[in-house]
Amino acid sequence: MSDHRIRIYQQGAPSVLTYEPLPAPLSSPAKGQVLLRQDAVGVNFVDTMFRDGSFTVSLPFDMGVEAAGVVEAVGPGDADFAAGDRAAYFFVPGAYASARLIDAAALVKLPADVTTLQAAGMLSKGLTAWMAVYGAHAVRPGEVVYVNGASGGVGLLVAQWAQALGATVIAAVGSPEKIHMARQQGLEHVVASNSASFESDVEAHTDGKEIDVVYEFIGRATFEQSLKLLRPGGRLVHIGNASGPVEVRGSAMATRKIDYLRPSTPQYVNSPQSLDRASKALFEAMRQGVFGKPEIGRYPLGEAVRAHEDIAARRHRQFSVLIP
């Protein structure tokens, strides 16, 4: 069976995703590279931004940023990987493919108890969650943490991880219907951000304490609401804008001495050493059951259009992969 990839020749709607055979067999890996046969390819919201024009890219552009699979061959002199090793990577464009050449330095070797399906579905989101709870802000036991957007993939992992680290976590979801789902994921304190009784709902979970940290994933629709919740001198970690970008009023935050951060994962995971440290922490949290048993949705690689349509319609699961 021939190898395939997905690339775009123009930016736009999901229909611009083009499923095509690789034009020629992949060459042998050069020094520092491996040939990776991919078992599963992660589907992330950022993929839609590369596709729809939110980010400027050079066309044609090979889609996708994370995947996991089995090493088929290694380049000369590489002692870190061998044929048969299972490995994963995050944020290396060109992931929507059945196989690829990739720098060995970008790979994470998978422990025996982490499947390639789990790694492809969770590595990128999990490393972002690690950045949130260990990098941008080191969550401490006893803190009161508010996670706005806790029904999304990264938001859910942040809420679960912060709770496991001993914080009182108030998980905000977009509707009352999602409260039950969040509680099924192990979250103890859940509120609907669009509830008419929102403020009293939040107060019922804080036990009279003020909120120390807010993780914001929604953006325009909820930013002012999140800011209002923070205690003076608290920290606002602004990671996502699912509802659109925010016009930040620096003067309002300065008056209340709010520590406002806009972190990105590559700020904290930017070397083989930091990637190793963060991924080991993520795998250990998975091993300990911090994230429960996440359900990973699957699509054939050739149905990437449907996967992107499901993201737009919010029909997708929190963790989804393409299967070559």
Side-chain angles (χ1 to χ4, degrees):
M1 187 173 67
S2 62
D3 286 317
H4 286 72
R5 68 184 177 191
I6 291 177
R7 56 172 23 189
I8 57 173
Y9 294 87
Q10 61 181 330
Q11 292 178 296
S15 59
V16 302
L17 296 169
T18 303
Y19 179 65
E20 62 184 28
L22 288 178
L26 291 168
S27 60
S28 298
K31 183 177 181 180
Q33 287 185 322
V34 307
L35 172 58
L36 188 69
R37 174 67 50 188
Q38 303 197 144
D39 292 337
V41 177
V43 180
N44 294 287
F45 183 77
V46 71
D47 299 345
T48 71
M49 301 177 75
F50 282 114
R51 187 210 74 229
D52 68 15
S54 298
F55 296 144
T56 300
V57 300
S58 297
L59 297 170
F61 180 75
D62 292 332
M63 288 291 299
V65 297
E66 74 170 332
V70 179
V71 174
E72 282 198 346
V74 300
D78 190 290
D80 294 328
F81 288 91
D85 284 345
R86 298 178 317 117
Y89 61 90
F90 92 110
F91 224 85
V92 184
Y96 281 18
S98 52
R100 70 178 300 185
L101 294 169
I102 188 170
D103 289 344
L107 295 177
V108 172
K109 194 174 290 187
L110 297 180
D113 56 352
V114 175
T115 69
T116 49
L117 183 71
Q118 290 171 320
M122 295 185 65
L123 184 63
S124 181
K125 296 178 178 69
L127 293 179
T128 300
W130 177 88
M131 174 277 294
V133 301
Y134 285 106
H137 177 79
V139 173
R140 298 185 298 274
E143 285 186 317
V144 181
V145 172
Y146 178 82
V147 180
N148 195 11
S151 59
V154 180
L156 174 62
L157 297 181
V158 168
Q160 291 170 316
W161 213 337
Q163 183 172 280
L165 290 170
T168 296
V169 175
I170 301 168
V173 297
S175 66
E177 294 75 23
K178 293 180 179 179
I179 290 178
H180 177 66
M181 182 196 71
R183 287 178 176 152
Q184 285 185 314
Q185 300 285 353
L187 298 177
E188 297 175 11
H189 309 291
V190 189
V191 299
S193 58
N194 63 353
S195 169
S197 58
F198 170 74
E199 291 188 8
S200 59
D201 293 343
V202 171
E203 289 176 4
H205 294 295
T206 60
D207 195 26
K209 299 179 181 177
E210 294 182 296
I211 292 175
D212 301 294
V213 186
V214 166
Y215 290 102
E216 176 63 44
F217 290 93
I218 302 303
R220 181 182 298 159
T222 59
F223 187 81
E224 291 298 325
Q225 182 187 70
S226 295
L227 183 60
K228 185 179 178 181
L229 290 173
L230 263 177
R231 66 169 174 79
R235 176 168 289 172
L236 176 54
V237 185
H238 187 177
I239 297 174
N241 285 317
S243 67
V246 173
E247 183 177 342
V248 177
R249 295 182 295 111
S251 58
M253 284 190 275
T255 301
R256 297 177 57 215
K257 295 183 170 56
I258 299 299
D259 185 14
Y260 176 64
L261 302 178
R262 286 297 311 269
S264 67
T265 309
Q267 286 178 270
Y268 297 88
V269 185
N270 51 24
S271 68
Q273 294 76 22
S274 59
L275 176 59
D276 181 67
R277 182 171 65 253
S279 60
K280 283 181 177 176
L282 172 63
F283 297 149
E284 181 59 26
M286 293 168 65
R287 193 171 293 123
Q288 293 176 359
V290 168
F291 312 122
K293 295 181 179 179
E295 185 179 357
I296 299 176
R298 309 182 195 191
Y299 302 82
L301 179 63
E303 295 184 16
V305 169
R306 181 165 66 90
H308 279 230
E309 289 173 343
D310 284 353
I311 290 175
R314 299 191 176 185
R315 292 189 298 261
H316 68 297
R317 293 186 173 93
Q318 290 142 332
F319 310 98
S320 296
V321 298
L322 303 174
I323 305 295

